[in-house]
Amino acid sequence: MIRVERLSFAYPGSGGPALRDVDLHIGEGELVLVVGASGSGKSTLLRCLNGLVPHFSGGTFAGRVQVAGRDTRTTQPRDLADVVGLVFQDPEAQSVAEATSDEIAFAMENLELPPAVMRRRLEEVLDLLHLAPLRERQLASLSGGERQRVAIAAVLAAQPSVLLLDEPTSQLDPQGAEEVLGALERLVHELGLTVVLAEHRLERVAGFADRVLRMEAGRLVGDGPPREVLGDSPLAPPVTALGRLAGWAPLPLTVREARRQAGPLRQRLRPAPAPARRRAHGRPLLEIHGLRVAYPGREALRGVDLEVAGGEVVALMGRNGAGKTTLLRASMGLTPASGGRVRLGGRPVAGRRTSELALEAGFVPQDPGAALFAETVEREVAFTARNHRLPRSAVAATLEDLGLQDLQERHPRDLSAGQRLLVALAAVLVAGPRLLLLDEPTRGLDAPSKQRLVELLAGRRAAGGAVVLATHDVELAARIADRVALLAEGELVASGPVDQVLSESAVFSPQVARVLGGPWLTVAEVREALEATA
Amino acid sequence: MTESRGLAPLHPLAWLVWLVGAAGVAGALGNPVYQLPLLGVLTAVYLAGHADAPWARAFPLFLRLGVVVLVLRTVLAAAGGDAAPPVLFRLPQVRLPGGVAALGGPVSAGALAGGFRNGLTVLLLVAAFGAFNACVSPSRLLRLVPGFLFEAGLVVTVALAFVPQTVIGLNRTLEAQRLRGHRLRRLRDLGPLLLPLLAGGLERALTLAEAMEARGYGRHRPGAGQGRGAALLGLAGLIAALLGAFALLAGNAAWSARALLGAGAVVVAAAAAAGSRRSGRTRHRQERWRRSDSAVATAAVAALGIVLAARLAGSGDLGWTGAAHLGAPGFAWLPALALFGLAAPVAAGSPR
Amino acid sequence: MSARTAQRALGSVGARGRLVLAVTSMIGLAGFAWPLLYGARRAGPDSAHAADAPWLFAVLVALLLVIVAVEHAAGRLTAKTVAVLAVLAALNSVLRLPGGVAGFNALWFLLIVSARAYGPTFGFLLGSFTLACSALVTGGVGPWLPFQMLAAGWVGLGVGLLEPVPRGGRAEVLALAAYGIAAAVVYDLVMDLWFWPLAVEGPLGFEPGIGLGATIGRFVAFHLATALPWDLTGAVGNAAVLLTVGGPALHTLERAGRRLRFQAVPELVELDQPATPCASPAAPGDVTREAPEEDELDRGGKPSDRRRGARS
């Protein structure tokens, strides 16, 4: 089905090749997972498979790629649309129409199919992805998961035999991600579609991939069954890392597989001391009492209490729309409170100017790249420094703290998602706030970037600062949070130490907790405990 | 976004035909006895059919514009200093610098009535457009774009879909910069607001272009040679039409001018037809043309036809012949009935 | 690679395309200026039709726009150009919304800068699409729309007059700011010319046979009385925005243009014959070097200013 021979590619004007000497062969009906850090070539590889590289991007292309018998060197991507389709990361940026059915029909209209055929295929595709009730809805009113499924439907309308997906769940919440991945699994099993999926979040996908390709710096360094490739890779879901640690064979890819072999490990861990949980010290930096926030038509927050003191990391978790973002925004005075009190640094937030509050708390909203506009990273951070009348030395210090010195002269929009997040962090941290508020920072981050983030947050905690982190990413919360506050429908339904809240919840528990039970949340904790008892 | 509030939405082409009818009738009338009821008809159509959406709120603005023109024209016509009897009153006369014109002087009833009538015509035309705007959603209107202009229609469709995202993005950027201590005081503070919006939009455009290509956009692109003549042919026709229009307006050689005009129109149509053969793209959804649509379209065409026939025949008291001395305007039943033909959208279609 | 070569988003415009634009502009000018010409003539026998003129010319100008679309847009817009036109038209429409951006009036700034970055023909299309999108968003489609689209198209097209100004540097921004003032004034003038016969009659209106000079004089009086103060503040506002934000905006557009690669021509290398590329000669704007051998890809070309795409 897909044959890649000695593929090498360099983007025009770039410093080096994006892909080096890739050879691979993918058969019909396989579900292939492509993993690798940002910049390793995953996206480029996918685009080579549908002709966007080299025809859309230009550049120097060596080697050969054949998809369903067609050679991409001589075929334009638009002429490959009926054999291979590509779904992108951002649900909102791919659409050309306002209503669902028009969006799905776009590909069919381009293929000049007769209207009767179009109507039939539209119904089929809506049924395949369980989208029938959304048929006449406006795209703007759909959730992220629904929009991505519409994007998949729009691509499938051309009836390709290969479906490529470039990090389709990275901008979605867990529910949306489940919808999309469930749909993919169904497509593979029912239609026999060949699916090539690039992903960072392996927890859900590792279980049902047939094959994993691992990319590093443009080279294909791993190609084989998941257990084999993920087994010795640093990019592995926590259960696999746990299995590696405990020496299980075969290495588990899902929680279910791990549970079967977990008995002896649980025994070993029984006498081990529970992992130490940090307690906050220092005066409270953020105090919220009885906070109510009302938007026209609904109440976003109903009487929430939260106190955050220096030396702790608090994770805010909950479904989409539960009020996490509203809580963070109310803490910064961006959203007026209709009831209750919010105090930042001991003084009420109401009536104070945002530029003044920014010295106490740094808020990085969702999509940190949205505010970047300068030509270099250094100037970006300097912009904030100038606004607050801070000396230039503060800029250099902040860049060093975050490890951004090498990237100083780069254009911020050229950077990867993880690097952009660091720049956004630098741009608020230069003002020297003790409290850091982050809204969904892990969108689009690869594993090394997440590790950097964890280290950074741990560093701030150690220095006496505090972090409030609104996130869907349970594994991240397990690694860094000390306390978790669970929101639902604007109310606080659970609040307490991380191990207590996460292991008690069925939905929000990390993989390690699901296998071993509380108080174990991460592989690192298990490793420490084993070393302690050894 | 809901369509009309109580009616099954009429086909946008039916609305377009209605608009042509309403505009044509409004332009042909000069008698307040017909004009004022027409205003009522247009307002009724708006009230019955307007959608509940941001783009449907401009009707009051259209009315306001029309009223401004009405007042302006009436006042200026009166200030024209026409001494024809009966003279209502006299204003002091002012000569504008440079001898351009003289304002003031005797105000004649004829001038006043004439200005009022002409102003009403403009008001009606503008109101017709206002009602049309409020009742037809932009996206349905864009579906009417013919096949040979598909790409142009697509640009506007995508742009429309992108506007709400842009407004949200603007607010987000505003907030994010505030959180970095930015305050909007001087003009140079606009940069941090506009530039991220621009850069973000262009990045989106890149993804969008990839997605479009990946879904086969541009598969049927005619060769460079095809359609070579269409645009030039169209231009030739338009030049002919232009000359005919000037001749017609100058009042000279009416018949030859009309013929020229007609010939120009034919050539333009031929050019358009040549253009439409180029695109092979099919369309998945054609809006259904219902009986209510036929009813509205027929009523509008009939109304226009009646009024134009009356005008050509010189009957029906379409103009206000007694304007010069503020005599009672005439009235005939047929044109009045024609007006109610334009109220068809109010009645057509059953409530949902 | 110098960043200062012009990027023609629509590709090179042939002689036919230029002819179409020129002729449509002339016809369009007649469509605006007919009151002046009319006033110059002696009164004819049947001047009653003068009242129909604005509507007649509205249809004419609409057809003109269709012709331009047929020539430049139909069958010639690639996915990239459609996407960029749409995004910029949307941005422009938001800038035109009442209230502007936090109260600042920035109507023409983005259009002028985009036309400078991507070519005057692109600018014409962008101007027209912007007004169309703006009208649809605000529900303001009226008989003025074809004229607005044409005049906005001229604002974009006219940026081509600044071609001799060297790119990059102070001169370019100053030229754009000056053009911004001129364009704003001309646009308002021309739209006022459209509005004039509708709004006035009598001593301030046009009458056939009073001579060209008198007609122009009356129009100027009308324009001064009604619009000029607003026009001037708007024009100066535009120039101010161009001076402050124009440079960085141009950078952003040019950068994006390089990323988009409107005329991307890939270099295909056959591995068996390392010295011979497969593709046609690279277009300007691509890396123009001799066919790389297989391992030149590893050595990497010139040190870049890091314009490599940020994809993984």
Side-chain angles (χ1 to χ4, degrees), chain B residues 55 62 73 76 100-101 103 118 125 133 148 151 159 166 184 187 205-206 210 217 221 228 231 242 249 251-252 278, chain C residues 16 38 41 45 49 55 60 71 74-75 77 82-83 86 91 102 104 139 141 198-201 203 218 240 260 311:
Chain B
W55 44 264
F62 277 83
R73 279 191 94 135
L76 282 176
V100 164
L103 290 177
N118 292 335
L125 267 155
N133 267 296
F148 67 94
E151 283 94 342
T166 309
L184 200 57
L187 207 54
L206 181 59
E210 287 188 309
Y217 173 83
R221 196 84 63 76
R228 175 192 299 275
L242 180 70
L249 290 176
N252 294 335
R278 291 160 72 185
Chain C
R16 193 178 84 223
Y38 202 66
R41 288 182 49 80
H49 288 293
W55 326 114
L60 203 68
E71 172 64 25
L77 293 183
V82 167
L91 282 176
F104 286 96
V141 175
L198 281 183
V200 295
E201 58 182 76
R218 286 186 181 189
L260 281 162
R311 308 187 176 109

